[in-house]
Every structure is written in C-alpha cells, then in structure tokens.
Amino acid sequence: INLHFELPTLGAMGIEIAMFENECSTTFWSESAATLSQISQRIQPLRERLSEQGIIVSDIQSRFGTLVKRKHNIQQRLVDIST
C-alpha cells in the first residue's frame, strides 16, 4: 500500500506499507529533514503499538526522498463472473 499526504505541519510525505499475513514492513518518505527527524523519534513507539496488536514488525524506517507513485494492476479477479 502506498499513501501520499500533504500535511500542514509536516509537508509532503509518502508511506509505503507491505503486509503479508500478520507481518508488516513500513517506510516513511519525506524531503524534509525536520519531518524525518520527527518520524524517527516515533518509530519505536509505533513498533511497540503494532506489536501489541499482534503484528510482527519486520522493518520500519524513514528515508529522504519521494515515494515513487506506481500503478498496481490486480491480476486476479476478486469476483467470479464466469459462473
């Protein structure tokens, strides 16, 4: 899942979340050093809250830059329309 935000106090940021079963990997993207600093200070509390909910956190990181917007195509139909 890729999320893009334009927040009044943090500016533009992107969040890339990969989930498989109950395991999560998350990357926060921003071009602002101040925003990355704030995110980095909150990574450990986020990791703890996710763990309390039974989610295995394989990785949480913050990176300088912009999350690339990608088009994702679903290759499998969610509804069986042939029967």
Side-chain angles (χ1 to χ4, degrees):
I1 300 170
N2 291 343
L3 304 171
H4 297 270
F5 297 99
E6 183 71 40
L7 303 170
T9 58
L10 298 176
M13 64 182 297
I15 305 171
E16 185 176 27
I17 304 167
M19 289 285 302
F20 181 72
E21 295 181 0
N22 67 329
E23 187 171 341
C24 173
S25 173
T26 305
T27 304
F28 294 89
W29 295 85
S30 177
E31 292 183 344
S32 164
T35 297
L36 290 174
S37 176
Q38 289 183 42
I39 291 169
S40 294
Q41 293 173 12
R42 291 171 174 87
I43 285 178
Q44 188 58 36
L46 175 60
R47 181 184 297 273
E48 291 168 4
R49 279 185 260 149
L50 290 171
S51 295
E52 289 169 2
Q53 298 299 314
I55 297 173
I56 299 167
V57 180
S58 60
D59 190 30
I60 299 179
Q61 57 183 317
S62 58
R63 291 189 171 208
F64 184 82
T66 303
L67 175 60
V68 177
K69 294 181 182 179
R70 298 180 195 143
K71 260 191 172 176
H72 294 285
N73 296 324
I74 297 174
Q75 299 298 324
Q76 183 177 9
R77 290 192 175 138
L78 300 176
V79 178
D80 181 8
I81 58 172
S82 62
T83 57

